[in-house]
Amino acid sequence: MCTRLVMALTGAGVAFASTAKAQRPPLLPEKDVAALASELSGETAKRNLEGIARFHRQRGSQGFHEAAELVAERLRTYGLSDVAILQFPADGKIFYGTQRSRPAWDAEVGELAQFWFESGESSRLCREGWPKKVDELHAEGKIGITMVCLNVNVLASYEAEPIVLAEDSESADVVADLVDVGEGTKESDYAGKDLKGKIVLVSAQPGAVQDLAVGKFGAAGIVSYAQNQKTVWWGEDENLIRWGHLETFSEHKTFGFMVSLKTARGMKERLTRGEKIRLHAIVKAGQHAGNYEVVTATIPGADAKLKEEEIAFSCHLDHQRPGANDNASGCVTILDVARTLQKLIGQGSLARPARTIRFYWPPEIEGTMALLTSPPRTYKMELDTKRSFDGSVPLPQSGGGSLTQTGPALAKRVKAVVHMDIVGGGPETKAVFHITRGPMSLPSFVHDVAWAFAEWVNEESYKFAATGKAEYPMVAPEGGKEPLRAEYSAFTMGSDHDVYQDSSFGIPAIYLNDWPDRYIHTNLDTAANMRS
């Protein structure tokens, strides 16, 4: 998300969409490079990131829709053309290509608390009257008021940190003892343990254990302390809470809560000593028929024939709150590319490209699959009203938007893709930036164009870091001064570039990404850990 990265990305995209002779700076006239370097803003990108990171952006959810509306509003403000939020039904029955759509998922309440019964200091409410009092408070709609008990400790609150409630959790109101089953993925983990109606503590992801724990052994719910992807820093910060998932299509519906390694170790030690841990889980959440929503906008091309071809800038808008690096960073980077190009073209500082440049903000993989495989049509988003998972809460839905082709017709128009997923990291996240080429089965000059710009930014940023002087330092006032040091990397999978480059479509793509990222998919993937 740094200014240097945006510079490389914008230069590559403009080069794809235009025609120019090779020179230094590469592929673009120097006056264009100077205009881009002057206008691009790491600060604007980061302010937009802070806005997106406020939303819990699960597929089809109210939080995703609010983030989509924020992006669309910015695009309209920046003067982009064809701004729309495209909708593709997702109900668990419809398939896009070979992928079954997953129903939308929303949550309103998620709270996990523990009661202390055996302490001599327990209040009378905890020791004697709490079940009746809880029922009374629930009847009054005062969920969470049980904290008035002197010895009730809230372990997880969806209201405070949505990441604590595993995606695809279902509604529940359960009081049950906690049982430690280790990893929880093997039947031997459950041997000799009475789990009927209990809550299990596991080290695996909730979705990896639900069919065994809930389906076979009758557990009521799951508490997980699964850790994020392994790097050399894995496990160092015991306060990290990982984003958790249940299996969308499992027959054994349940709830899952995520806790930190520190919290889990404390509970495991108490259970080992023979203490009883009783938990109260309250969840109001569930799946419902909804839509994959894809924000889109264009900068129309100038050439009468070539404007029918498109160069796409892609990212993914979904993920947990805060989800700053993954992937609000990619979303706001291409948003600032859109702002910069539109402004410079509008004021005559940059020639309009021959080809149309299109921007996409979908839910990861599944939104792009829907975009490229939906039945051939010219799509216009209609005014609609969605409802929450229980049908009781209307969710606002805006209409409008220009006519946009989807499906095979769209796939034929797109000639190259620049895809952004996790691009805002720096010293705090331990990031190394990668210019990731496509597979050898899909050779393209696109990869060489992207690397030409990245290598140039590497050189300019290193020159500035080493000497304090460079023709194009590309340093944001609020950003760092360290060199970019991007690496040209072999093809790796894991994001929407996979879809574009699949043989079904054969669209060359360049994948820009950070790795490692010690905070990925955790509560510390925050705007504070991003660089401008």
Side-chain angles (χ1 to χ4, degrees):
M1 193 186 65
C2 62
T3 302
R4 295 160 180 168
L5 165 61
V6 183
M7 179 68 223
L9 171 65
T10 308
V14 173
F16 295 154
S18 306
T19 57
K21 295 181 179 179
Q23 55 187 295
R24 179 169 174 79
L27 302 175
L28 288 178
E30 183 121 18
K31 68 177 185 62
D32 291 353
V33 173
L36 291 168
S38 176
E39 181 57 37
L40 290 163
S41 171
E43 283 73 27
T44 298
K46 191 166 185 181
R47 296 298 88 78
N48 283 328
L49 180 144
E50 290 166 347
I52 291 174
R54 292 183 293 114
F55 301 113
H56 193 49
R57 309 179 301 278
Q58 307 298 279
R59 67 179 194 277
S61 67
Q62 183 174 5
F64 185 96
H65 180 74
E66 290 170 345
E69 287 283 12
L70 184 152
V71 172
E73 180 274 328
R74 293 289 192 276
L75 290 166
R76 295 185 188 102
T77 299
Y78 297 155
L80 273 288
S81 301
D82 305 324
V83 178
I85 302 177
L86 309 179
Q87 293 182 326
F88 302 90
D91 58 6
K93 301 175 183 178
I94 295 171
F95 277 75
Y96 293 104
T98 59
Q99 188 174 70
R100 182 182 177 185
S101 65
R102 294 192 296 164
W105 180 79
D106 271 289
E108 295 178 14
V109 176
E111 186 175 280
L112 183 68
Q114 64 174 324
F115 297 94
W116 300 75
F117 296 104
E118 301 182 8
S119 167
E121 300 176 358
S122 294
S123 67
R124 186 180 176 207
L125 176 60
C126 284
R127 287 182 284 113
E128 300 175 9
W130 72 268
K132 181 179 178 181
K133 187 63 178 176
V134 166
D135 290 340
E136 292 174 356
L137 293 169
H138 284 186
E140 296 172 11
K142 298 178 180 178
I143 295 174
I145 300 300
T146 52
M147 284 185 288
V148 298
C149 172
L150 296 179
N151 292 287
V152 170
N153 177 30
V154 175
L155 298 173
S157 167
Y158 177 83
E159 182 179 9
E161 282 190 300
I163 197 172
V164 302
L165 184 63
E167 187 177 20
D168 285 313
S169 287
E170 292 286 329
S171 295
D173 189 342
V174 174
V175 175
D177 291 341
L178 183 68
V179 179
D180 181 14
V181 296
E183 185 180 45
T185 58
K186 306 181 297 295
E187 288 199 26
S188 58
D189 294 334
Y190 301 86
K193 298 174 181 177
D194 177 17
L195 298 170
K196 186 73 173 178
K198 307 291 176 59
I199 296 174
V200 294
L201 177 65
V202 301
S203 66
Q205 273 278 1
V209 308
Q210 73 185 100
D211 287 344
L212 269 178
V214 178
K216 184 162 187 176
F217 294 103
I222 300 164
V223 174
S224 167
Y225 55 99
Q227 300 298 288
N228 64 341
Q229 288 90 324
K230 280 197 174 184
T231 67
V232 71
W233 297 276
W234 187 81
E236 281 189 4
D237 190 336
E238 295 190 349
N239 293 306
L240 292 180
I241 300 173
R242 181 174 180 170
W243 183 28
H245 310 267
L246 288 156
E247 286 298 318
T248 302
F249 298 113
S250 173
E251 297 177 0
H252 310 295
K253 301 301 183 184
T254 189
F255 62 86
F257 281 95
M258 308 302 293
V259 298
S260 68
L261 183 59
K262 182 177 181 179
T263 296
R265 281 179 173 164
M267 292 191 293
K268 290 169 72 70
E269 289 171 2
R270 289 174 56 202
L271 291 170
T272 300
R273 293 195 299 265
E275 292 185 33
K276 178 184 289 188
I277 299 177
R278 181 158 294 180
L279 302 178
H280 185 192
I282 305 170
V283 179
K284 188 177 181 183
Q287 299 173 356
H288 60 94
N291 297 289
Y292 295 140
E293 294 187 319
V294 180
V295 187
T296 185
T298 69
I299 296 175
D303 186 273
K305 183 178 180 180
L306 292 178
K307 70 179 182 181
E308 299 304 317
E309 299 181 356
E310 296 182 352
I311 305 302
F313 284 79
S314 170
C315 60
H316 71 80
L317 183 56
D318 59 329
H319 274 8
Q320 83 289 348
R321 192 182 89 187
N325 202 20
D326 189 13
N327 181 39
S329 65
C331 294
V332 300
T333 300
I334 70 169
L335 186 58
D336 204 60
V337 170
R339 180 195 66 80
T340 296
L341 293 178
Q342 180 65 29
K343 182 175 179 179
L344 293 177
I345 291 168
Q347 67 188 23
S349 300
L350 197 67
R352 183 172 294 277
R355 295 172 177 82
T356 294
I357 299 179
R358 184 175 288 277
F359 302 87
Y360 289 115
W361 290 263
E364 189 173 21
I365 303 291
E366 48 202 338
T368 300
M369 283 288 292
L371 188 69
L372 296 179
T373 65
S374 62
R377 59 179 171 170
T378 299
Y379 186 97
K380 187 178 189 300
M381 192 180 78
E382 302 294 341
L383 183 64
D384 189 19
T385 300
K386 296 190 299 181
R387 304 190 75 80
S388 70
F389 62 90
D390 62 0
S392 63
V393 182
L395 304 179
Q397 180 75 5
S398 67
S402 300
L403 297 175
T404 301
Q405 288 183 317
T406 61
L410 169 65
K412 289 179 180 178
R413 291 169 61 96
V414 179
K415 300 305 177 185
V417 177
V418 181
H419 181 65
M420 309 288 291
D421 190 357
I422 313 180
V423 297
E428 282 297 320
T429 64
K430 311 301 183 186
V432 175
F433 190 72
H434 298 270
I435 311 296
T436 304
R437 61 167 296 120
M440 292 297 185
S441 59
L442 188 63
S444 173
F445 72 94
V446 165
H447 315 126
D448 301 309
V449 171
W451 178 243
F453 278 98
E455 191 172 35
W456 176 69
V457 175
N458 275 350
E459 292 172 1
E460 289 292 309
S461 63
Y462 178 77
K463 187 189 302 181
F464 180 73
T467 69
K469 296 179 181 180
E471 196 168 357
Y472 295 99
M474 291 169 287
V475 174
E478 296 180 13
K481 296 181 176 63
E482 66 277 1
L484 178 61
R485 311 304 285 168
E487 293 191 2
Y488 192 36
S489 301
F491 175 66
T492 57
M493 300 180 70
S495 194
D496 299 69
H497 65 294
D498 298 355
V499 181
Y500 289 106
Q501 295 180 122
D502 183 88
S503 60
S504 300
F505 312 110
I507 302 171
I510 191 73
Y511 172 35
L512 307 182
N513 64 293
D514 289 346
W515 193 256
D517 180 348
R518 64 173 174 166
Y519 296 136
I520 186 174
H521 295 172
T522 72
N523 55 324
L524 289 188
D525 183 9
T526 62
N529 287 323
M530 299 297 98
R531 56 183 178 177
S532 291

